[in-house]
Amino acid sequence: MQAIFLLIGTVAATAIVFLPGLTAATTGRDSWLTALLAAIPGLYVAFLVSALGRLFPGQTLVQYLEQILGGPAGKAAGLYYLFFFLQTNAIIVRELGELIATAIMPRTPQVVFAILMVAVCAYGVSQGLEVIARVMELTYPLILALFGLMLILVSGHMQFSRLLPVLEHGIRPVLLASLDPFAWRGEIIVLAMFLPYLARPARGRRNAIIAVLLTSLLLVLDALASTTVFGVTTARLNYPTFELVRLAGIGQFLTRLDAVWIVIWLFGMFGKVGIFLYATVMAATHLFKLREARPLIAPLSILTIALSLSQFANNPQMIAFLTGPFVAYSFSVEWFIPTILLLTARLRGISTPKK
Amino acid sequence: MSRMLRCFSRLLTQGQKNDGRSFRHSGAQWEETHQAEELKKMPVSARLDDNLALIKEMLGRNSDLVLRELRLGAGGNTRAGLIFVDGMVDNSALNDTLIKGLTLESRMAAVDGRSGLFAVLKEFMINVGTVREAENIFQLLDGVLYGTAGLFIDGCNRALLADVKGGPVRAIEEPISEGVVRGPRTGFTEQIRTNTSLLRRSLRTPNFVIEGTELGRDTRTVVEIAYIKGLAAPELVREVKERLSRIKIDGILESGYIEELIEDQPYSPFPQVFHSERPDRVAAALLQGRVAILTDGTPFVLVVPAEFVLFMQVPEDYYERWQLSTVIRWLRYISFVASLLLPSMYIAVTTYHQEMIPTRLLISVAASREGVPFPAFVEALLMEFTFEVLREAGIRLPRNIGQAVSIVGALVIGQAAVSASIVSPLMVIVVALTGIASFAAASYNIAITTRLLRFPMMILAATLGLFGVMIGMLVILVHMASLRSFGVPYLAPLAPLHAGDLKDVAWRAPWWAMDNRPEELVRDDRRRQTPGLMPHPPAPGGGRKGGGRDGPR
């Protein structure tokens, strides 16, 4: 149960805010299809991770990298992963800062959000994975309930005819656009960093699949809602989900729930940043074969904050990166290397250890 | 009693081995580790005069010590000395039973020799519940200072201890801190024996165990743990004993001392040990597999492990109809959040997020804040401060003056501060609501937590708006998620989720649906009742068909 929430949190927290806008830009009214399609690679990554986890029980990705690829290559790949986790986390923190700055606190410098959010997450990480999982277990039902409430509240604005025509320009743009969410869904790769620390690693695959499916359901619903409400204009919105919330209101008196929604969404972001920070810390610990992970939390947190601020000059630049180079980058990390790993492991004849 | 003493003396000898040196400081009158050792080496002398002289030398200065010489036996030719502390013994038991038996009845006993007399006295003549022998001065003093009467008999190198403990005690009254409309009216008292008897009366199972020890070098406070064998996890019981035995302190005057000495996370603002002065509440906790710690001298009984939801439940939840209890419980959850967040939300919304307020309300908020010279944060701080001062003053003052405080608070400060435009009326409402919400807490110590955390939350709200509030909430949540009370996660059964246990958290399930005991506490004997207890009254005219089915089929 906790594992499922951890994984949903990993992917859904940012995807739900940013993805609909990104995909709608290229596919217009078919963005819900891309969300649906992206479930397949998500499932593939879940399968890869759990298969690798079964071959190397009790080990994290960075640990078995070295075992499969051998010393130098394994170290290099581990470093690559460490950097990927670190950078992705920095991007997440930046996304968070951008949204908060845009939506509720326009005059506060972003560095404040980054520092506070990462500090809270570092506190969570220092208390252990279980604590992060518990917080998510407690808050996710709330987030999901709020999401459902939002859907109900905006249902008055929905026009399903806006979905038509389906596949106006053929299947090609849809397939191309689904690369973005591919990268997002692949974030489930962090599971490989904490699979051995779950209470029941054996159920990792089942949980990962459930999480991928639930996330897809969420994203499809979200894409459908934004398209039926905004039509093709979705493409021009930075945060369609957020705009949806702006529309939602209860009666005549509660008309602006967006701040509340953002604030609750921060709970979800805590989970996501927390997990990525955890993955970063674990990757560094295992890469350099340290005995203690704790001393690494503070420096890596600071690095995350710094990177999140210095990486991009502004939001459009970040979006350009996310839809451009990041796709290939994460593709390599999330699918290419794990696939190679699994194949190599099979070829070298490493089989599931008998209990 | 004897078990308790045995346990205690074992504890004491351990204490000497380990910490004998560290406790020693010069000039202490009742330096246990040092003195007890010496006293234990002092046997009771066979000569009465020696014994009496010794006692006089040691305790003779005390005006409440009574030393009485008697003559016993046939013809009254055996001398004896009776020692007791006046006020700690039950006078009627002492006079009518003990002294009468000794002075009158022992004359008729036809026994020869002193040791014969001793045995007869011990077995026949002293008509009180517990009679023990004391072989050394330590045992004797220990008993006498706890309210038993000691008896030296000339020619015997042992003394008798007759339990005539008594003296003034408070009667059983309705607990002040935890009132109910429906439910038992008994509350614990300061007397540990009364308290254990109250528990024993509601739990008559032979599995109900009360084990005792003594804590505090000088106070020698009797501390007992109570649990139901088979329900409370053995590791838990062991852990409680272990933590109690670690306590080496000069005095335990209230269970609060123990609470702070056995907590899991001493720096947390959240209480991790539950306390109650209601026997029904403690008995219910014991039935869930928890362990109670009773302390002599206080009506507050500790219960461990205590997770967060335990502080959100009151006994009346289980006595009233379950629909109502469910709603009330939710009301309590909401008021918990409100008492923590209401002022900070108000500050955040009025300072940073005015767009969230409906337009008409915004106008009236703006209008009411018009003459106020302070920002919302200062205003809130001012009012919260006043409120806390009033509350504290109301508690400490004698009851009849306390009323004056509330008049001053309500009229002068509330009314006048508003008309002087120092605070806005809305802020008065917010602070008052917060106060009321904190009074609705199910237990006082969780209300203290919100009271404390409210202020940092207000600062966060004033500096960072809702984002700050959320960061504060996250820190609190992470902290709560990392807490444990005696091995039980603080947020159980919510996180980690035990869906079956939500029946007593998300709602109060009717009794016929509460089939199992909490998962986190009880592992072996989880079944609370026969399943399918839901009543099925016979259908009108339907014969015997529906008359109480046995199971859910």
Side-chain angles (χ1 to χ4, degrees), chain B residues 341-352 354 369 372-386 422-424 427-428 430-431 452-465 469:
Chain B
L341 287 185
L342 209 57
S344 41
M345 287 298 252
Y346 177 80
I347 294 171
V349 168
T350 52
T351 323
Y352 292 98
Q354 292 95 342
R369 284 189 47 80
V372 180
F374 306 116
F377 173 61
V378 176
E379 206 187 338
L381 219 54
L382 211 67
M383 279 315 282
E384 283 290 343
F385 174 76
T386 318
I422 293 171
V423 292
S424 65
M427 183 52 83
V428 177
V430 167
V431 170
L452 276 179
L453 293 179
R454 199 182 295 154
F455 292 92
M457 292 302 276
M458 277 159 63
I459 296 172
L460 279 172
T463 48
L464 289 164
V469 174

Side-chain angles (χ1 to χ4, degrees), chain A residues 105 116 127 134 137 253 260 263, chain B residues 356 358 464 470 481-482 496-497:
Chain A
M105 307 278 288
L116 282 173
Q127 299 293 320
R134 281 188 197 151
E137 196 173 20
F253 62 102
V260 178
V263 149
Chain B
M356 279 176 68
L464 289 164
M470 208 59 336
S482 68
L497 186 70

Side-chain angles (χ1 to χ4, degrees), chain B residues 20 25 154 263 300 324 345 397 436 447 477 508 540:
Chain B
H25 48 90
D154 196 25
E263 276 176 333
F300 290 96
L324 178 80
M345 287 298 252
L397 276 178
I436 293 168
L477 269 180
R508 204 282 274 171

Side-chain angles (χ1 to χ4, degrees), chain A:
Chain A
M1 205 52 188
Q2 287 188 341
I4 296 176
F5 279 121
L6 272 176
L7 290 173
I8 297 182
T10 312
V11 179
T14 46
I16 211 165
V17 172
F18 296 95
L19 257 190
L22 294 184
T23 51
T26 43
T27 52
R29 51 179 76 88
D30 290 330
S31 65
W32 62 277
L33 268 176
T34 60
L36 198 61
L37 272 176
I40 300 160
L43 289 175
Y44 177 64
V45 176
F47 162 76
L48 272 181
V49 168
S50 56
L52 281 169
R54 209 167 290 180
L55 284 180
F56 303 95
Q59 293 193 350
T60 60
L61 178 66
V62 174
Q63 283 173 313
Y64 52 72
L65 262 178
E66 247 175 276
Q67 215 172 320
I68 300 175
L69 299 178
K75 276 264 184 273
L79 206 60
Y80 189 51
Y81 269 99
L82 172 61
F83 190 70
F84 173 75
F85 290 137
L86 188 66
Q87 194 186 13
T88 312
N89 204 13
I91 295 174
I92 299 164
V93 173
R94 180 58 179 260
E95 284 167 347
L96 168 101
E98 288 290 340
L99 180 59
I100 292 178
T102 325
I104 56 173
M105 307 278 288
R107 278 158 62 188
T108 311
Q110 274 202 31
V111 59
V112 177
F113 307 130
I115 288 178
L116 282 173
M117 197 68 203
V118 175
V120 172
C121 293
Y123 175 47
V125 171
S126 73
Q127 299 293 320
L129 183 66
E130 198 183 4
V131 168
I132 302 178
R134 281 188 197 151
V135 172
M136 291 175 78
E137 196 173 20
L138 208 63
T139 51
Y140 256 82
L142 190 68
I143 299 173
L144 296 183
L146 214 76
F147 181 73
L149 181 73
M150 178 203 78
L151 285 185
I152 294 169
L153 290 177
V154 296
S155 59
H157 300 276
M158 287 184 189
Q159 278 181 23
F160 284 92
S161 59
R162 287 190 182 129
L163 287 176
L164 298 171
V166 178
L167 293 181
E168 194 185 4
H169 305 290
I171 192 89
R172 261 182 63 89
V174 174
L175 284 179
L176 268 177
S178 61
L179 284 177
D180 287 347
F182 277 21
W184 237 289
R185 300 302 172 77
E187 282 177 355
I188 215 158
I189 192 81
V190 292
L191 173 64
M193 288 312 295
F194 61 77
L195 187 67
Y197 303 107
L198 296 180
R200 276 168 296 194
R203 289 169 75 179
R205 179 193 300 203
R206 197 197 73 140
N207 289 340
I209 289 173
I210 295 177
V212 168
L213 292 180
L214 278 176
T215 314
S216 303
L217 180 71
L218 272 180
L219 291 178
V220 169
L221 280 177
D222 194 35
L224 274 177
S226 4
T227 317
T228 48
V229 172
F230 299 117
V232 274
T233 40
T234 314
R236 261 174 267 134
L237 302 170
N238 269 338
Y239 312 108
T241 313
F242 180 56
E243 298 297 333
L244 276 182
V245 181
R246 286 204 164 162
L247 270 181
I250 303 171
Q252 289 296 305
F253 62 102
L254 275 182
T255 46
R256 293 292 300 272
L257 293 171
D258 38 347
V260 178
W261 194 83
I262 290 219
V263 149
I264 300 227
W265 169 76
L266 276 178
F267 277 135
M269 287 308 284
F270 162 77
K272 182 151 190 168
V273 179
I275 288 169
F276 268 88
L277 189 59
Y278 183 83
T280 315
V281 170
M282 290 320 279
T285 315
H286 290 152
L287 186 63
F288 304 119
K289 298 211 165 54
L290 304 176
R291 212 170 300 132
E292 279 254 12
R294 268 167 176 274
L296 285 179
I297 297 176
L300 285 175
S301 306
I302 294 169
L303 215 56
T304 308
I305 297 169
L307 203 56
S308 83
L309 296 170
S310 61
Q311 212 171 356
F312 309 107
N314 49 38
N315 197 25
Q317 210 178 53
M318 179 167 76
I319 287 178
F321 176 74
L322 283 182
T323 48
F326 186 71
V327 176
Y329 177 30
S330 57
F331 194 90
S332 71
V333 168
E334 290 159 359
W335 305 343
F336 185 66
I337 297 181
T339 313
I340 297 280
L341 282 182
L342 191 61
L343 286 177
T344 322
R346 287 267 187 241
L347 285 177
R348 293 177 104 190
I350 300 171
S351 61
T352 314
K354 298 267 170 353
K355 273 167 199 153

